[in-house]
Amino acid sequence: MNDVYNLLGLAYRAGKVAWGYQAVMTALKRRKVYLLLLAGDSSPRLRGKLLATCREYGSQGIIFGDKVTIGAALGKPPCAVVGVTDANLARLIRQQVREVGA
């Protein structure tokens, strides 16, 4: 699981993530999000809305981790949603998520 957070931190430092609801929604609507990570402890309403938006704009959404750990990986406060805007980093993160079985 640590590799997922390391890759997420790398993506953030490379400027390849949108974090927080507003930034992610904007990036989704511009079709710039290749992978959406939603914290498992985010609200069901938020998850439903964002996953529906992912389907609408052709992005993949995955429920993974928790708000505190995702925020820490970015060096930010607790964060429920992160959009990865780089195709290669999204692929690597998706692969690591599959390996940990989430």
Side-chain angles (χ1 to χ4, degrees):
M1 191 177 316
N2 203 19
D3 289 339
V4 174
Y5 296 118
N6 288 338
L7 286 170
L8 199 54
L10 175 69
Y12 175 76
R13 289 187 303 279
K16 301 297 182 181
V17 299
W19 66 279
Y21 179 79
Q22 282 301 116
V24 168
M25 286 298 282
T26 300
L28 276 170
K29 290 178 180 176
R30 291 181 180 167
R31 300 183 189 273
K32 298 203 181 264
V33 175
Y34 292 94
L35 178 66
L36 181 82
L37 287 177
L38 284 159
D41 58 349
S42 61
S43 75
R45 184 175 175 199
L46 176 69
R47 284 195 305 259
K49 183 170 178 78
L50 284 167
L51 291 174
T53 305
C54 278
R55 285 189 296 273
E56 182 180 345
Y57 291 100
S59 295
Q60 181 182 14
I62 297 175
I63 297 172
F64 181 81
D66 61 84
K67 292 187 266 190
V68 172
T69 311
I70 291 172
L74 302 176
K76 300 289 180 188
C79 179
V81 59
V82 176
V84 181
T85 60
D86 179 83
N88 290 322
L89 285 168
R91 181 182 48 78
L92 288 171
I93 292 170
R94 191 177 309 116
Q95 181 180 6
Q96 288 298 316
V97 168
R98 280 191 202 118
E99 286 180 14
V100 295

